[in-house]
């Protein structure tokens, strides 16, 4: 009497495109996570930075947006300012440590005018690093960290599913 023995399906563990793509996406997510973490730490640290009075030298809105039926520049904001720490003069171009988007851009532009005085917060260890609005984004302080974590997890899930032969 013959007994038929079959091998259980063992997934092919050779690299496939899905596994590579998942691994690359996870690595991209890790780089994004590092950048988001360092940016968040700097933004939180900026809440304790000293400030000096400076002068706003440039304020431009760009990027069209439909506002009340009219296409207006409002999506993005470009600023430049000058300030002094001790006897050293500096210039800065960061309104904040995150990207301002509409309507934040319009709010900032309505509250400030070119050549007006602005409060400049500077890093005491590197006075050339400065912002006009310290801290992380108030409404979504962890959004970049969450997005980066999602990238890492998604990449890992794709790579693992490909490793077990469930996709790809």
């Amino acid at each position: 009497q013959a007994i038929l023995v079959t091998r259980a399906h063992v997934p092919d563990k050779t690299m496939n495109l899905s596994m590579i793509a998942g691994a690359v996406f996870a690595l991209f997510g890790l780089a994004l996570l590092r950048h988001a973490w360092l940016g968040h730490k700097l933004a939180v640290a900026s809440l304790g930075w000293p400030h000096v009075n400076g002068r706003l030298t440039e304020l431009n809105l760009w990027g069209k947006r439909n506002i009340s039926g009219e296409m207006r520049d409002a999506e993005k904001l470009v600023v430049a300012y000058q300030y002094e720490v001790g006897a050293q003069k500096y210039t800065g171009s960061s309104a904040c440590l995150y990207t301002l988007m509409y309507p934040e851009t319009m709010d900032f532009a309505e509250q400030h005018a070119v050549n007006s005085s602005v409060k400049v917060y500077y890093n005491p260890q590197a006075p050339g690093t400065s912002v006009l609005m310290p801290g992380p984004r108030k409404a979504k302080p962890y959004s970049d960290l969450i997005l980066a974590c999602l990238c890492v997890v998604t990449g890992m899930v794709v790579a693992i599913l490909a490793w077990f032969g469930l996709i790809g």
Side-chain angles (χ1 to χ4, degrees):
Q1 193 172 15
I3 299 175
L4 180 62
V5 177
T6 60
R7 249 178 43 182
H9 174 70
V10 177
D12 180 17
K13 301 242 190 293
T14 60
M15 289 283 194
N16 64 34
L17 188 57
S18 297
M19 192 182 324
I20 293 169
V24 167
F25 197 68
L27 289 173
F28 170 75
L30 286 172
L32 189 61
L33 183 59
R34 180 180 185 277
H35 178 75
W37 176 252
L38 293 174
H40 183 75
K41 279 179 52 176
L42 185 63
V44 169
S46 72
L47 291 169
W49 289 355
H51 61 84
V52 294
N53 286 328
R55 187 174 63 84
L56 191 64
T57 58
E58 180 184 352
L59 188 145
N60 289 311
L61 291 167
W62 62 278
K64 298 290 185 198
R65 181 170 188 96
N66 186 342
I67 301 171
S68 301
E70 180 184 345
M71 295 304 288
R72 296 178 52 195
D73 283 322
E75 278 299 318
K76 306 283 183 179
L77 176 73
V78 175
V79 297
Y81 50 90
Q82 299 173 340
Y83 61 103
E84 276 186 44
V85 176
Q88 182 70 40
K89 293 183 180 193
Y90 295 95
T91 59
S93 60
S94 297
C96 55
L97 293 168
Y98 52 89
T99 302
L100 281 178
M101 302 294 288
Y102 177 84
E104 297 164 317
T105 55
M106 293 294 288
D107 294 342
F108 186 93
E110 289 169 1
Q111 295 170 9
H112 300 86
V114 173
N115 291 319
S116 66
S117 178
V118 288
K119 195 179 283 190
V120 179
Y121 297 83
Y122 65 92
N123 184 338
Q125 282 79 40
T129 302
S130 62
V131 294
L132 301 178
M133 298 183 306
R137 182 182 302 273
K138 288 174 181 42
K140 301 174 186 172
Y142 304 106
S143 60
D144 291 347
L145 291 167
I146 292 168
L147 178 62
C149 287
L150 286 173
C151 287
V152 172
V153 169
T154 301
M156 289 174 59
V157 166
V158 169
I160 290 167
L161 290 176
W163 175 262
F164 286 107
L166 298 173
I167 62 170

